Every structure is written in structure tokens, then in C-alpha cells.
Amino acid sequence: MYNIVIYLYLAGVAVYSLFNEKVRKMWRGEREAFTILREKVDPSAKYVWFHAASLGEFEQGRPLMEQLRRDHPEYKILLTFFSPSGYEVRKNYEGADIVCYLPLDTITNARRFLRTVRPVMAFFIKYEFWYNYLHILKHRGIPTYSVSSIFRPDQVFFRWYGRQYGRVLKCFTHFFVQNEQSRQLLATIGITSVSIVGDTRFDRVLQITKAPLSATVGTTIAKALGLPSNEAPSGAVGEGAPKVFVAGSSWPPDEDIFIRYFNNHRDWKLIIAPHVIDEDHLQQIEQKLAGWCVRRYTKAAGSSEEYPKAAGSGEEVSTPLSHARGVRGEALLIDCFGLLSSIYRYADVTYVGGGFGVSIHNTVEAAVWGKPVIFGPENRKFQEAQELKACGGGIEIKSYEDFARVMDGFAADANLLKQAGRQAGNYVQQKAGAVDKILSAVGL
């Protein structure tokens, strides 16, 4: 039944690729994967295979790959993606020897892929459970690990109708899960080779805080915030200076809430990194910020001469954002990928979007900087969001009124703001260490 579904999916993707650019990239990339492997695989090398669905899972696997590469140069690393949103951003990732799409999970593709690569071990990040690849890996005796996985009672594996498919989980050599509930759920279907190690994302975000900010990014942000140098301050922008609000992975419902608030509180400076970066969405944000001095990052980066127009004014601003006259409110719009996790360092308060849609995005990469994290109500599936709420470092809002109440509280009480940020930062520090536990357990 699984293989029938896969072939139907394959046919659907082929048709849909004619009308959708993202699907077309995935379709083309999967077909080109074997060409990349044929050209790049070294038959004499020992490959460790990491598979990530998309960019978020890549970030979870990244600290494992980088520590493995540093400590065990005798291995080469193969990195595969399922989604274009992961592959297109990280196809030139220097931490892997080969990066490509994972061909669709047919029996023929799985056999051909594993015959070509011959990995000595495989790591699947979080939610990746490809039936044919996993069964053939087990048949060939290749150690296969599930990393940063987390399970819930409503998942198909634990339903009466999904028990047959749930057997795929028994193909893993070992599970490195995030919490006790996951261990207990796996035990109910006879899987006991499980260790609770936490989430490798905590190790990754701590890595980011130790990495230097590039000169281009630092200079651009400093100009936008009116800082004296390209170095991010520790905490607020400075004594008596306007505070900075950073919104990451925002969607229109999120923007409707926080922009409405800041249209009445323009003493704050805004950095907005929307989840969808296309011209229509960027223009929507600029229209909502009518009267603000808005600058797009890609137009500002590396330029000491170019200054923005005040949104809705049509007039050039001939001085830096922090000194623009006649315009109330300064905002920087991040219109590219790859900067958000570093930009959170500039915030006094952070906001993580998605909570008024399907689900929130990554709260940990904001919390690691010791800044309070605000997010919408769709967060129940995320353990870190629940734990951030419990410790006081994360704040859930359900409406504009909730958001206004939280922000007014932070503006009125500096100690409240600092305490919430401190709780967020401490939470991340306490949860780190999964990478060392995993590599030690697999003998690396």
C-alpha cells in the first residue's frame, strides 16, 4: 500500500511541477540527484549520511555534522534534503562533501542510492521516516539513528490503523529523543533502544552566539539602529536609547498585530524578517508601516550612500535612519534568508511568527540571546514553547490586546524585561549538550 501511495505521489508531483516553481525545483532536483552522486561519490571513502527534510531539520543536524567533521576527518559527509526550502539555501554548505536531494522513496531509488553511496552509518533528523530507505538500511546492517525525534500520541504510529506502518520505526538502530513522553510512546510499540538526550537545536543556537557577525551585516544593522559600531550590544541598544523589537518568521496575521501596536509607539525601532520573502509580501509590510522610515536590508547592505524612502511619503531620506528628520519610526525589513538567527542579538524583545497560522517557528534561536520571546497561540506541539512559557522566558498572546499588554508592561518595567530575558537565556543554556551525548553513544 505504501509503495502504491508513493507512485501516486510521484505522478502528482510530476503534474504539479508544471504549475509550481517550488515543486518544479524539487522534481528536477530529485531526478538530478543520481547524476550528482555518480560524479562526486568517492568509492574508497567512508560516508556518513545525514538526511534533513528542510532547513529547520538541517539546523538541528548541523552541529552533529560539524563536530563529526572536526573530530573524525576520516569520514566524508553526505547531506540530503527533501524540500527545496532546505536544499536551495544550503546546497553550497561547506560542512558536507556532497549535498543533493533525496530521490523519492521507491524501492528502486532506495536500492540504487544506497548501492552508490554505501554509507557506514545514517542519521535521520527529527521526523524523517522513509519506509524503503529504512528497510534497506536495516537489511544491509547499516547503523541508522533518529536524532532529535519527538513523538506524540496522535501520530499515526500509535493509532490502531497505523501500527503496520509503525513497523518502520523498528528499522532504526537507536532513537535519540527529546523527552520522556517520546520514550514511553515508543515502548508501547516494542521499541526500547531509546535515549533521552534533548534537542540538538540548543547546541546549534549556542554555536551561533559564539560566531562573529560579518562586517556587512554588522555595518548595515548598526546604521539602521544608529549604533556607533558594527558590534551588537549586550542587552539593550544603550542607556536611554530607543528599544529594538525583532520579529522573525512573521506572517501577515502576526504583522497586523505588532505593526498596529508600533504605529502608536514609534519610539521603538523595528527589525522585521518575514517568513515569506516575495515582493507582494514586502510591499504589504511597507504599506502597513506608512509614515515610517523603512529600509530593505539588501538595498542597504554594503552601501554608505544609499538611504531609504519614508514608507508612503515618496521622499528620499538623505540621512541615516537613526537621524532621519520628519519621519517618525525606523524599521529595517530583512528581505533575504540566513540572517535571522544572528539578528536576534539586537533585540530587546523578540517575536516569533506562525502562531496565528499552522504553528510557530523557531523560538530557541531567539531565546538563546537572553531576550523574551512572544508568540501566538498555535504552539502546543512545541515542547520548547511550553517550557519557555513555564519558566517565564516565553509569552503567549492570543490577540492584539494581549500583545499591547505585554509590551506596555515591558516598556514600563525594565526589571520585568530583564528578568524575562534572563529566564529565556538560562533555559537554553540548561538544555544544551545533546550533540556530545549522541556522538558518544554511537562511538564517535
Side-chain angles (χ1 to χ4, degrees):
M1 184 60 157
Y2 175 85
N3 288 314
I4 293 174
V5 172
I6 285 293
Y7 280 108
L8 290 173
Y9 173 81
L10 183 61
V13 168
V15 173
Y16 195 36
S17 68
L18 300 174
F19 309 99
N20 184 283
E21 177 63 24
K22 182 177 180 180
V23 175
R24 185 158 52 250
K25 287 180 179 179
M26 182 177 71
W27 171 246
R28 187 186 306 120
E30 288 179 356
R31 295 168 68 191
E32 293 173 350
F34 285 116
T35 301
I36 294 174
L37 293 173
R38 187 171 58 251
E39 293 174 350
K40 294 188 176 183
V41 166
D42 178 355
S44 64
K46 295 185 293 184
Y47 284 93
V48 177
W49 173 26
F50 287 85
H51 176 64
S54 191
L55 194 57
E57 289 78 13
F58 163 78
E59 289 296 327
Q60 287 177 291
R62 183 171 180 169
L64 277 170
M65 287 185 276
E66 294 183 353
Q67 188 159 324
L68 173 65
R69 195 174 187 86
R70 182 175 64 250
D71 296 345
H72 295 275
E74 68 271 23
Y75 294 110
K76 289 194 173 184
I77 293 175
L78 165 66
L79 170 63
T80 60
F81 288 97
F82 176 75
S83 168
S85 59
Y87 176 77
E88 295 300 328
V89 176
R90 294 301 181 190
K91 59 187 175 183
N92 297 316
Y93 172 57
E94 295 181 353
D97 297 279
I98 304 173
V99 182
C100 66
Y101 280 94
L102 180 68
L104 196 63
D105 187 30
T106 65
I107 295 174
T108 300
N109 281 348
R111 286 175 175 166
R112 184 182 176 189
F113 179 91
L114 293 170
R115 187 168 57 245
T116 302
V117 178
R118 299 184 182 276
V120 297
M121 66 182 71
F123 293 86
F124 285 67
I125 312 301
K126 199 172 182 178
Y127 289 138
E128 291 297 271
F129 307 112
W130 295 109
Y131 189 91
N132 291 313
Y133 281 104
L134 288 168
H135 275 86
I136 297 173
L137 282 165
K138 182 180 180 181
H139 177 74
R140 293 183 174 217
I142 298 170
T144 304
Y145 306 101
S146 178
V147 173
S148 291
S149 43
I150 188 166
F151 295 94
R152 300 182 304 276
D154 60 352
Q155 288 175 301
V156 64
F157 314 112
F158 312 109
R159 300 286 191 172
W160 65 267
Y161 53 80
R163 289 300 175 95
Q164 184 173 357
Y165 176 67
R167 293 173 185 170
V168 71
L169 300 182
K170 295 186 178 181
C171 295
F172 285 98
T173 306
H174 198 89
F175 284 86
F176 296 99
V177 299
Q178 294 188 33
N179 57 23
E180 173 64 19
Q181 181 189 49
S182 297
R183 187 195 67 77
Q184 292 179 3
L185 285 169
L186 290 170
T188 66
I189 57 174
I191 297 174
T192 57
S193 186
V194 181
S195 298
I196 304 170
V197 300
D199 190 343
T200 52
R201 278 187 302 171
F202 293 97
D203 299 87
R204 172 59 188 150
V205 295
L206 284 169
Q207 281 183 342
I208 293 171
T209 64
K210 297 172 184 176
L213 198 64
S214 76
T216 298
V217 176
T219 300
T220 304
I221 302 296
K223 179 186 291 185
L225 299 182
L227 300 176
S229 71
N230 66 353
E231 293 298 322
S234 175
V237 172
E239 191 67 31
K243 287 184 166 49
V244 180
F245 178 86
V246 177
S249 301
S250 63
W251 293 81
D254 303 299
E255 293 146 9
D256 287 340
I257 288 175
F258 66 73
I259 291 178
R260 176 184 170 188
Y261 177 84
F262 289 111
N263 275 334
N264 295 314
H265 297 81
R266 299 194 186 193
D267 51 328
W268 285 73
K269 298 184 180 183
L270 308 186
I271 302 178
I272 303 172
H275 184 74
V276 176
I277 299 175
D278 61 31
E279 187 60 28
D280 286 345
H281 189 196
L282 296 174
Q283 288 186 13
Q284 286 176 15
I285 296 172
E286 290 172 335
Q287 289 168 5
K288 292 173 185 178
L289 290 168
W292 287 69
C293 182
V294 181
R295 188 178 217 169
R296 294 194 188 184
Y297 175 84
T298 58
K299 294 182 179 179
S303 171
S304 60
E305 302 297 332
E306 188 177 347
Y307 294 98
K309 292 181 179 181
S313 72
E315 297 180 0
E316 294 289 344
V317 177
S318 58
T319 54
L321 288 179
S322 57
H323 302 291
R325 295 181 179 179
V327 179
R328 293 189 60 215
E330 297 90 39
L332 182 65
L333 191 54
I334 307 300
D335 56 344
C336 59
F337 293 108
L339 300 180
L340 178 59
S341 57
S342 296
I343 287 175
Y344 280 125
R345 75 181 69 197
Y346 289 99
D348 290 278
V349 178
T350 69
Y351 182 99
V352 173
F356 290 91
V358 176
S359 61
I360 59 170
H361 297 287
N362 191 340
T363 56
V364 175
E365 64 183 10
V368 69
W369 296 100
K371 311 299 169 68
V373 188
I374 302 173
F375 43 80
E378 290 301 323
N379 60 69
R380 293 178 296 280
K381 294 182 179 180
F382 295 88
Q383 175 178 294
E384 64 275 11
Q386 305 310 310
E387 292 173 342
L388 277 167
K389 287 194 292 183
C391 76
I395 303 98
E396 176 186 307
I397 63 163
K398 297 181 179 179
S399 64
Y400 168 79
E401 288 73 22
D402 286 349
F403 181 80
R405 183 166 54 252
V406 171
M407 291 302 300
D408 287 347
F410 285 152
D413 190 341
N415 288 329
L416 178 66
L417 175 58
K418 290 179 181 178
Q419 176 66 13
R422 186 161 50 245
Q423 297 285 43
N426 289 343
Y427 165 73
V428 176
Q429 293 285 344
Q430 293 164 7
K431 300 288 282 188
V435 169
D436 287 337
K437 294 174 184 176
I438 293 168
L439 293 179
S440 176
V442 303
L444 292 173

